[in-house]
């Protein structure tokens, strides 16, 4: 999924339904000069695990007093159906293996609201092909 998404220095990235912050951590390790990396999840228990991983990797925010690296990952506990960010804030929004748990039209409207003009959304999820076989969708 990340290999199919074009990233640029200065991008602000939101990972929706971040879980244990797998995607934010992969992004932070890419070496790109991010403006911001944010992981959002509604489940506090998942975010607690994410926080541990982010701190261990040295990407915690300044409130965690860990600024060993210039890249910081912020974690937010909130619903993907009403995300607490201003309109047009993010360059890239990702969501992996979670859309089937969400009200897709509502989440897509929220993502569109948060995305800057010309921004990019990347969603990866499982789905069942009518034949019962899985297939890969084109990017």
């Amino acid at each position: 999924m990340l290999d199919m998404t074009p990233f640029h220095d200065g991008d602000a990235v939101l990972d929706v339904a971040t879980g244990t912050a797998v995607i934010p951590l992969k992004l932070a390790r890419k070496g790109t000069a991010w403006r911001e990396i944010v992981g959002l999840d509604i489940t506090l228990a998942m975010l607690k695990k994410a926080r541990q991983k982010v701190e261990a990797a040295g990407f915690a925010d300044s409130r965690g007093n860990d600024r060993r690296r210039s890249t910081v990952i912020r974690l937010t506990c909130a619903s993907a159906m009403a995300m607490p960010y201003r309109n047009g804030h993010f360059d890239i929004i990702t969501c992996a293996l979670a859309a089937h748990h969400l009200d897709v039209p509502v989440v897509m409207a929220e993502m569109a609201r948060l995305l800057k003009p010309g921004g990019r959304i990347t969603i990866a999820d499982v789905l069942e092909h009518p034949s019962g076989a899985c297939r890969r969708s084109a990017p």
Side-chain angles (χ1 to χ4, degrees):
M1 175 177 116
L2 297 180
D3 291 339
M4 297 188 313
T5 305
F7 295 99
H8 308 291
D9 285 347
D11 279 346
V13 182
L14 171 64
D15 183 42
V16 175
T18 198
T20 61
V22 170
I23 289 175
L25 285 164
K26 284 186 181 204
L27 292 174
R29 291 179 177 123
K30 284 178 73 78
T32 301
W34 305 106
R35 180 168 53 92
E36 182 176 29
I37 301 174
V38 178
L40 176 136
D41 203 286
I42 197 166
T43 307
L44 187 56
M46 295 296 276
L47 288 176
K48 285 181 180 179
K49 290 179 184 177
R51 170 63 57 200
Q52 291 170 347
K53 289 171 58 176
V54 167
E55 288 175 353
F59 296 113
D61 64 26
S62 60
R63 291 170 292 213
N65 297 319
D66 186 350
R67 294 303 300 261
R68 291 180 282 172
R69 301 176 190 249
S70 59
T71 298
V72 171
I73 296 171
R74 288 191 309 109
L75 299 171
T76 302
C77 189
S79 171
M81 269 47 111
M83 294 185 263
Y85 308 110
R86 71 180 184 275
N87 296 354
H89 183 76
F90 293 99
D91 300 286
I92 299 171
I93 299 175
T94 63
C95 182
L97 304 175
H100 63 278
H101 295 291
L102 305 170
D103 184 337
V104 174
V106 173
V107 171
M108 290 302 295
E110 269 295 274
M111 289 179 175
R113 178 183 70 79
L114 298 176
L115 206 60
K116 287 182 173 181
R120 296 152 323 271
I121 296 173
T122 300
I123 298 173
D125 210 340
V126 294
L127 56 107
E128 188 175 325
H129 188 270
S131 71
C134 292
R135 66 179 179 150
R136 180 175 173 228
S137 297

